[in-house]
Amino acid sequence: MESTRHFKPPWSLIRENSECYIVRDANGVTVAWLFCRDDAQRYSVGAGKLTSEEARRIGKAIARIPEFVMQRRGFYPRGGGPRWRADRPYHVALQDTYIRAHWDEIYALCRLNSLPFNSTGEVINNDGVWRVYEFTWQMDAILFWDRFEGRWLRGTEFHYPERPANLPSLKPLENWPKFNPRDTR
């Protein structure tokens, strides 16, 4: 059954009292309650509650849900092409030379940030060789496109949308680049 109720973005996180965080939409409708207790070690009753820091982090994540679900303008589904699939409509092309030079970093960043890294096997020859990657979610495709200097695809043509102002950033790799013994020669 389809719900007709909408929770208008942006959602905000509010500390109601010392034991509760509340996530509310723009109309003031409560979306989630997160109960917490910092002195849970003193009482066996409160052992199942979150600490206030855990509740705050989870509340911030819940408040960002509309940001990840909403459709961004200019970033359209591919809508055609030889390898287009309806269940993975967003396609980003990376230049083959860039992939070869940065493969380890691309692979590690995608794993760290849970970005799917699915190649379609399609190759585009347009001012160089480009390899195509497919995504189910628009936000995953946008983050991949932005971080790895990709090209957005509409049909078989490259599309150049503007970078959104409030785009979240990917978690960075720590201690990168990794030590390579060949570089010491």
Side-chain angles (χ1 to χ4, degrees):
M1 182 174 183
E2 186 74 23
S3 174
T4 58
R5 189 169 181 180
H6 297 283
F7 300 99
K8 184 177 176 184
W11 292 0
S12 58
L13 179 67
I14 301 158
R15 181 84 186 242
E16 186 69 16
N17 55 44
S18 64
E19 294 186 1
C20 183
Y21 280 94
I22 295 176
V23 179
R24 289 198 173 116
D25 73 353
N27 293 329
V29 175
T30 301
V31 178
W33 287 278
L34 297 142
F35 294 98
C36 58
R37 186 169 194 148
D38 286 325
D39 59 353
Q41 292 81 11
R42 293 196 310 178
Y43 306 104
S44 63
V45 177
K49 291 194 178 180
L50 302 170
T51 65
S52 61
E53 177 61 21
E54 292 169 336
R56 185 192 63 76
R57 285 186 312 186
I58 292 170
K60 290 289 272 185
I62 292 170
R64 292 185 74 188
I65 288 174
E67 177 180 327
F68 285 104
V69 175
M70 72 182 214
Q71 294 291 313
R72 305 281 176 149
R73 291 186 179 176
F75 295 93
Y76 302 104
R78 186 169 183 187
R83 305 266 175 135
W84 181 81
R85 292 177 20 190
D87 62 335
R88 293 186 180 162
Y90 303 101
H91 289 91
V92 176
L94 295 183
Q95 196 164 28
D96 189 55
T97 54
Y98 181 86
I99 296 169
R100 290 174 191 269
H102 300 94
W103 173 257
D104 293 333
E105 182 182 4
I106 294 169
Y107 182 75
L109 265 171
C110 287
R111 286 193 55 150
L112 176 67
N113 291 283
S114 301
L115 283 177
F117 190 47
N118 302 318
S119 176
T120 64
E122 184 179 358
V123 177
I124 297 174
N125 291 309
N126 184 352
D127 293 329
V129 177
W130 297 81
R131 309 259 177 209
V132 180
Y133 295 88
E134 62 186 2
F135 299 89
T136 302
W137 300 105
Q138 186 189 45
M139 181 56 73
D140 288 344
I142 292 171
L143 292 171
F144 185 84
W145 162 84
D146 180 57
R147 176 61 180 85
F148 301 118
E149 304 170 16
R151 298 290 182 265
W152 199 264
L153 283 171
R154 284 188 77 183
T156 56
E157 300 294 320
F158 289 152
H159 179 66
Y160 300 93
E162 290 185 27
R163 184 184 189 278
N166 58 350
L167 193 63
S169 59
L170 295 175
K171 290 184 258 180
L173 291 171
E174 293 183 17
N175 302 324
W176 192 265
K178 291 187 177 179
F179 173 72
N180 187 349
R182 289 185 219 160
D183 294 339
T184 60
R185 292 182 194 166

